[in-house]
Every structure is written in C-alpha cells, then in structure tokens.
Amino acid sequence: MTYYNDSISTASETVISALKSLPNTATLLLGGMDRGLHYDDLIEFLRTSCVENILLMADTGKRIFGTIKNDEDFVG
C-alpha cells in the first residue's frame, strides 16, 4: 500500500488535480481548519470518482459532511 501526503492541497482545484494524477486512490482524507473555501466542485468530482472511502476531519470535514450526508451517491 502506498500513501501520499498532499496536505498542501486545500482548494478544490488542487485536490481534484491530485486525484486525477493518482486515479487508483481508494481512500481520501479531507478536512482541517475551515478557511471558508467552497467545495462544490470537489464534491461534484467525488460523486463520479473511484474513491471508495472518504474520511472527513475537523471543521472542513464537518462542512463537507453536512453537504453530502443526504446524498445517495455518497451514503447508501
């Protein structure tokens, strides 16, 4: 198993780029200090990605979870 630390990717665009460069990503850790960024593009990308597990942490993770918790594409 290989791990990549891309904790510098805080904006949706950089996370999406990282995931596109690593297409077989099974697990993604998201979250941290909430900087008030918008994550709609990232959430839309994740709906159709091959990421099987998303672990959400801290304030940003709570915000993202609040958006996707009733989305059948994520919670099934």
Side-chain angles (χ1 to χ4, degrees):
M1 188 174 293
T2 303
Y3 297 89
Y4 295 94
N5 179 353
D6 190 20
S7 57
I8 196 71
S9 289
T10 58
S12 292
E13 297 81 10
T14 58
V15 176
I16 292 168
S17 292
L19 289 171
K20 285 181 177 179
S21 71
L22 300 165
N24 296 319
T25 301
T27 302
L28 176 65
L29 281 73
L30 285 175
M33 184 175 67
D34 189 356
R35 293 183 169 92
L37 301 175
H38 297 280
Y39 296 99
D40 296 340
D41 291 343
L42 176 58
I43 291 168
E44 190 62 35
F45 176 82
L46 290 172
R47 279 191 178 96
T48 60
S49 76
C50 294
V51 176
E52 297 174 16
N53 307 294
I54 302 171
L55 304 173
L56 299 168
M57 305 175 299
D59 295 333
T60 299
K62 289 177 187 175
R63 274 189 52 214
I64 292 170
F65 180 72
T67 302
I68 66 173
K69 70 180 177 182
N70 295 319
D71 188 324
E72 291 182 10
D73 290 334
F74 287 100
V75 181

